[in-house]
Amino acid sequence: MNSSDGHSNRASWSGQFAFILAAAASAIGLGNLWRFPYLAAQYGGGTFILLYLLLVVTLGFTLMVTEISIGRMTRQSQLTAYSRLRPGFGFIGLLGTIIPMLIVPYYCVIGGWVLKYFWTYLKIACGSASASTALADSGAFFSGFISSPFAPFGYGAIFILLCAVIIALGVKNGIEKSNVVLMPVLFILAVGIAVYVCCQPGSADGIRYYLVPNMDALRVDAVAASGEHVRVFSWMQLAKTVLGAMGQMFYSLSLAMGIMITYGSYMRREDSIEKSVRRIELFDTLIAVIAGLMIIPVVYMFAVKTGTPIRDAMNAGPGLMFITLPKVFADFGSAGALVGAVFFLLVTFAALTSAISLYEACVASVCDLLGMKRVNATFFTFFVIAFLSVFSALGYGAWSSVTLFKMPFLDFFDFITNAVLMPIVAVVTCVFIGWIVKPALVEKEVEATGHRFTAVGLYRMMVKYVAPILITLLLFSEICRNLGLFGWRI
Ligand code: PFF
């Protein structure tokens, strides 16, 4: 039997904990450290966090259980899993396989930016380069780097190569072993920085801003009958917050990218899918909340100190990590370079373990379809990914004049995957499971080897009705938001 057979010879995790760690390592990435804090800050802190939690334990739970079960029952990656379940439905897998193939090149380019920041801070901390204020120059360092002709590609290629080496070593010897080292270090660094930040004098206001629900985020300006300007509750604002939280949930839990199907295909039958999913969600959300504690209080204090309106400082969006934080670190004085180096080392680890899972979803599909050996498939995929990464790496520099839907390449790849393809694949998967093969198939897999599926009622209702409706709404809202249709903005 070769690897394409997918059964007795298929690689497997060494146990339930290894699986949970791998799935959590995939989920915990740039989405937690950079996207979650700025979305939470924009959408009203605690209000957003509560909505997010609710979505994670209902919708996120349903989608993750579905994907892991599909993987485990077919012992296939997503490219071939759907046709194994029902001949004629292989197109879902094909569509789904395009997603990690498009994401991993640009994700590694961003990984390369993080690597560059880590390296620069390390050099400053070791005294071999000028002070950390060099990076705190209102974006000149960042834009200079991402628009330079070769460096973004070079750093991105190093990042892809790191992933390739770990993947080529195999599921147990590569992915599992790297997670055992990287994840505990990541957790310790995150907690360490969060504690350091929360102990800074004056951090309490920022912590409150981040964690206490701010209902004003759900209000909009209006003019009362008396002509007075007032703030009133807006259903539209609530809908935007829910959809923002839902988009973040997809991103953060690594859903609809084939990763959970692939990782599920290496899971042992005696391990509990339901318990594993609950733990993955817990780890992922914990790190996202801790990331907010590392970032929001310092940005808040910095905004107060420099007289910047808090909302503007928080609304820095993606620039929060690469432009605002370096300014904050510079403000720490001599400790700044070290804090910067530790912070970007932590981000590098998070991005690396997520990129590995995206890359693995591609490699497993190639292995399952063509019956190729892992090392050859990794090598083959490396060239495809490296080639595609050129577009994202040069999209802000040499090729900045080329745009798609008015977006640079990297933003376009992000848009087409996160806003369009992922919701489509997720809806089709729910309809496929809910109405074609029927939820009982997934329930049987969750209950394999004597486990009880405690949330079975919730699962059935979500997969058949609620999830397809919510995700369809997400699809439309994401398209409108990204293309600026109907005046939709974050
Ligand atoms: N879940 C990971 C993160 O939060 O960064 C991995 C990931 C999600 C990668 C979404 C890429 C992506 F578009």
Side-chain angles (χ1 to χ4, degrees):
M1 255 191 266
N2 61 33
S3 60
S4 69
D5 172 84
H7 281 274
S8 52
N9 268 356
R10 196 170 187 83
S12 78
W13 306 113
S14 52
Q16 177 156 313
F17 182 70
F19 167 70
I20 295 173
L21 196 64
S26 164
I28 296 167
L30 295 170
N32 304 59
L33 301 178
W34 147 75
R35 214 167 176 264
F36 184 88
Y38 85 75
L39 285 179
Q42 280 175 14
Y43 283 122
T47 322
F48 177 87
I49 299 177
L50 286 178
L51 278 170
Y52 179 81
L53 277 178
L54 189 69
L55 285 166
V56 165
V57 297
T58 53
L59 185 59
F61 170 80
T62 305
L63 295 170
M64 199 180 271
V65 164
T66 304
E67 290 192 26
I68 294 173
S69 302
I70 293 177
R72 195 172 73 172
M73 74 179 108
T74 58
R75 297 259 167 237
Q76 294 288 304
S77 58
Q78 69 169 345
L79 182 57
T80 41
Y82 289 89
S83 52
R84 281 281 168 108
L85 281 181
R86 188 63 61 95
F89 284 84
F91 72 93
I92 313 176
L94 190 63
L95 194 64
T97 306
I98 299 172
I99 298 172
M101 219 53 217
L102 291 181
I103 293 181
V104 75
Y106 86 72
Y107 200 81
C108 287
V109 168
I110 303 178
W113 300 352
V114 176
L115 211 55
K116 166 77 183 174
Y117 270 64
F118 164 63
W119 185 233
T120 309
Y121 271 118
L122 191 68
K123 281 195 296 189
I124 298 168
C126 297
S128 61
S130 53
S132 57
T133 44
L135 285 86
D137 52 4
S138 300
F141 178 86
F142 181 56
S143 43
F145 170 64
I146 65 170
S147 61
S148 56
F150 181 74
F153 174 72
Y155 278 93
I158 297 174
F159 204 82
I160 303 173
L161 199 64
L162 281 174
C163 299
V165 170
I166 292 172
I167 287 175
L169 288 171
V171 171
K172 272 202 188 94
N173 288 329
I175 306 178
E176 211 177 291
K177 286 206 175 130
S178 63
N179 287 335
V180 168
V181 178
L182 298 180
M183 291 312 286
V185 177
L186 183 150
F187 189 75
I188 293 167
L189 294 184
V191 173
I193 299 180
V195 170
Y196 176 77
V197 164
C198 293
C199 290
Q200 297 293 311
S203 64
D205 286 343
I207 299 174
R208 226 173 286 128
Y209 178 85
Y210 172 50
L211 292 179
V212 176
N214 170 15
M215 289 304 164
D216 194 54
L218 301 179
R219 297 194 192 109
V220 287
D221 289 324
V223 183
S226 60
E228 199 190 338
H229 285 271
V230 284
R231 305 265 302 157
V232 291
F233 172 80
S234 152
W235 284 103
M236 192 61 190
Q237 209 50 33
L238 177 65
K240 283 186 181 180
T241 310
V242 173
L243 290 166
M246 209 193 313
Q248 171 61 14
M249 186 209 74
F250 265 94
Y251 196 100
S252 189
L253 290 178
S254 295
L255 296 170
M257 300 174 211
I259 295 172
M260 294 302 160
I261 300 185
T262 307
Y263 276 16
S265 76
Y266 307 139
M267 191 182 183
R268 303 181 315 177
R269 290 210 93 211
E270 58 267 41
D271 297 333
S272 163
I273 292 182
E274 192 177 11
K275 277 200 195 115
S276 302
V277 170
R278 292 287 182 217
R279 280 174 202 158
I280 297 163
E281 290 170 344
L282 183 74
F283 283 142
D284 186 59
T285 311
L286 195 66
I287 293 288
V289 173
I290 293 176
L293 286 174
M294 296 194 288
I295 295 174
I296 304 295
V298 282
V299 174
Y300 187 95
M301 282 191 282
F302 186 73
V304 171
K305 192 173 155 194
T306 55
T308 317
I310 308 288
R311 266 195 98 77
D312 291 356
M314 297 299 170
N315 283 1
L320 193 68
M321 181 177 281
F322 296 107
I323 299 171
T324 314
L325 278 183
K327 287 192 216 163
V328 174
F329 294 151
D331 214 41
F332 284 173
S334 54
L338 188 64
V339 177
V342 173
F343 176 80
F344 280 102
L345 179 67
L346 147 83
V347 186
T348 304
F349 284 1
L352 191 63
T353 50
S354 295
I356 288 170
S357 70
L358 284 158
Y359 194 153
E360 172 65 17
C362 304
V363 169
S365 289
V366 172
C367 289
D368 289 342
L369 184 73
L370 306 175
M372 252 191 201
K373 281 214 177 82
R374 165 172 289 274
V375 176
N376 298 345
T378 310
F379 198 61
F380 167 73
T381 323
F382 174 81
F383 283 104
V384 180
I385 294 172
F387 170 73
L388 288 174
S389 76
V390 176
F391 294 89
S392 298
L394 301 187
Y396 296 112
W399 293 348
S400 60
S401 55
V402 191
T403 54
L404 299 158
F405 289 96
K406 298 199 192 123
M407 297 176 218
F409 283 111
L410 192 150
D411 302 56
F412 175 75
F413 286 136
D414 185 52
F415 162 68
I416 205 73
T417 49
N418 280 285
V420 183
L421 291 174
M422 277 156 59
I424 292 179
V425 168
V427 171
V428 177
T429 301
C430 288
V431 172
F432 176 67
I433 295 294
W435 300 93
I436 295 165
V437 298
K438 301 283 171 351
L441 197 73
V442 167
E443 288 161 31
K444 213 172 110 210
E445 187 59 36
V446 176
E447 286 166 353
T449 56
H451 293 289
R452 216 167 74 80
F453 192 176
T454 47
V456 66
L458 172 87
Y459 178 78
R460 260 181 231 161
M461 189 186 62
M462 290 298 299
V463 80
K464 286 183 88 151
Y465 308 103
V466 184
I469 296 171
L470 283 181
I471 304 166
T472 307
L473 288 175
L474 176 71
L475 173 65
F476 286 112
S477 80
E478 282 293 287
I479 292 176
C480 292
R481 189 172 63 79
N482 280 279
L483 301 183
L485 305 176
F486 308 113
W488 184 281
R489 290 264 170 272
I490 277 197

